[in-house]
Amino acid sequence: MEAVIKFLFVSFLILLAFIGYRALLRRFQRGHVSHKEFCELYTLDQDPAQGELAFYFVCPEERKVQFAIWQNNALLIEVAHSTFEKGGHILRFDSTQISNGVYYYGIVTADQETKKRMIIAN
């Protein structure tokens, strides 16, 4: 009888530890951002960038996206502002339209704003 009580007590402790572990995992994941829900912006192949640039991004589902170039947090050029289907997209831009320097390119949607740095050296 005493062995059964010890077994039940140990089983109960293991169950409590498992429940506590699951609660701890849920708490840590609360602030976790799921990248599957957002568009992914890729880095340019050229560094420094020059000539015709190919900006590439992937949308996990159909989304309204603004693709733009900024300088010193000021919007410089809006390359595209439309709805993009699910999948990968390439936007081409002629860098000779802007002077040499440091710029940021990126995407803005209803849920995100992602920017990457680029150096233009034409």
Side-chain angles (χ1 to χ4, degrees):
M1 181 73 176
E2 189 175 311
V4 172
I5 293 175
K6 285 183 181 180
F7 174 76
L8 290 175
F9 182 71
V10 169
S11 298
F12 180 70
L13 288 178
I14 291 172
L15 181 64
L16 280 179
F18 180 74
I19 292 171
Y21 175 73
R22 298 282 302 198
L24 187 63
L25 284 179
R26 263 188 259 120
R27 180 179 173 126
F28 284 143
Q29 291 177 346
R30 251 187 240 158
H32 182 69
V33 176
S34 174
H35 294 283
K36 296 176 187 175
E37 300 171 9
F38 299 105
C39 295
E40 184 176 359
L41 178 64
Y42 287 80
T43 306
L44 286 173
D45 292 336
Q46 303 170 334
D47 188 25
Q50 61 184 3
E52 185 178 76
L53 306 178
F55 298 111
Y56 181 68
F57 65 96
V58 178
C59 293
E61 58 189 35
E62 184 175 286
R63 229 164 253 226
K64 189 170 186 173
V65 174
Q66 175 194 24
F67 193 97
I69 297 174
W70 293 267
Q71 184 177 33
N72 298 328
N73 289 329
L75 180 65
L76 185 66
I77 297 172
E78 186 174 75
V79 179
H81 194 162
S82 61
T83 302
F84 289 89
E85 295 177 357
K86 176 182 178 178
H89 304 280
I90 297 174
L91 296 176
R92 301 203 181 275
F93 176 75
D94 183 12
S95 68
T96 60
Q97 296 179 25
I98 55 179
S99 60
N100 293 344
V102 177
Y103 298 91
Y104 293 88
Y105 64 96
I107 53 178
V108 178
T109 68
D111 302 324
Q112 82 178 92
E113 182 175 323
T114 303
K115 294 180 183 177
K116 294 196 181 244
R117 185 175 181 253
M118 70 175 169
I119 299 171
I120 300 292
N122 289 312

